[in-house]
Amino acid sequence: MSAALWTAAGFASGSIMYALWLGKLALRRDIREVGDGNPGAFNILKAGGVGLGALAMLLDALKGAIPVGLARWGFGIGGAPLVAVALAPVFGHAFSPWLRFKGGKAVAVTFGLWTGLTIWEAPTFMGLLLGLAFSLISVSGWAVLWMMACIGIYYLITYPDPVWLTIWLVNTLILAYKYRADLRQPLDLRPAVKRLLWRSP
């Protein structure tokens, strides 16, 4: 399979909105009516609980990990063509043609794409960074951007490959666009963190 076919397959895979379908099948409701109206895994987590939320996150991650991993490790796609292949699932999810190009925020599929590229390394660091960020930062968008900034610095130091850095940059820009409403808010710490800092000598 050529890189162009893998790119098309990745976009098609990413465009499948599993969280929205799970909401309709399991909850008999449109999860876009919950929370911030996002048709992604976080809203089905709010609407249906941990089990459905975890399933949606897994499916969203797999729709990025499978096409990217197969293209990179199974068919040897590398170099500049890998940029389009790696980003295609994220674009498909964030701008799904099935939802008039209004898709989800693409966090879970971002984990998937980096799983496809690095197997365990990037998603492990990303999970730890995001967990730490959410425990400290009260605005989700800033937490996600902090995670991506740390990953970018890590690969800039350890593996400054232009292909990977391009994937990281475009991925970060997509997330920033999808979280643009959050990023209009000032970066702020959680109240418990503020209280802890204020009590410090």
Side-chain angles (χ1 to χ4, degrees):
M1 266 176 89
S2 69
L5 288 176
W6 277 114
T7 300
F11 183 87
S13 176
S15 72
I16 302 171
M17 306 305 293
Y18 290 109
L20 190 62
W21 290 1
L22 283 172
K24 290 182 177 179
L25 289 172
L27 304 175
R28 306 296 183 189
R29 67 183 302 186
D30 188 336
I31 61 168
R32 290 173 292 185
E33 299 171 353
V34 178
D36 60 1
N38 175 49
F42 286 111
N43 271 6
I44 200 168
L45 176 67
K46 294 175 184 176
V50 174
L52 275 180
L55 177 58
M57 289 179 191
L58 175 62
L59 291 172
D60 279 354
L62 288 175
K63 71 184 185 182
I66 290 173
V68 174
L70 285 175
R72 172 167 163 73
W73 302 103
F75 288 80
I77 302 294
L82 184 61
V83 174
V85 172
L87 292 169
V90 178
F91 273 103
H93 180 86
F95 308 103
S96 175
W98 310 113
L99 298 178
R100 299 180 181 179
F101 300 98
K102 296 179 181 179
K105 290 184 175 177
V107 175
V109 73
T110 289
F111 273 79
L113 106 76
W114 288 99
T115 300
L117 288 178
T118 71
I119 308 300
W120 65 269
E121 184 182 61
T124 300
F125 291 148
M126 289 166 68
L128 293 172
L129 289 166
L130 191 59
L132 176 61
F134 274 129
S135 70
L136 298 174
I137 300 171
S138 63
V139 182
S140 297
W142 286 112
V144 171
L145 264 287
W146 184 81
M147 171 194 75
M148 292 302 293
C150 291
I151 288 294
I153 292 168
Y154 173 77
Y155 280 115
L156 186 62
I157 294 170
T158 63
Y159 187 62
D161 183 283
V163 170
W164 283 43
L165 294 176
T166 301
I167 294 169
W168 166 82
L169 176 61
V170 178
N171 189 182
T172 302
L173 290 174
I174 293 170
L175 290 171
Y177 175 76
K178 299 302 292 188
Y179 276 99
R180 61 193 183 279
D182 278 15
L183 300 180
R184 293 190 190 105
Q185 303 175 45
L187 176 61
D188 199 12
L189 297 175
R190 293 193 176 276
V193 177
K194 289 180 181 179
R195 288 194 296 270
L196 182 63
L197 291 174
W198 289 338
R199 289 174 184 170
S200 299

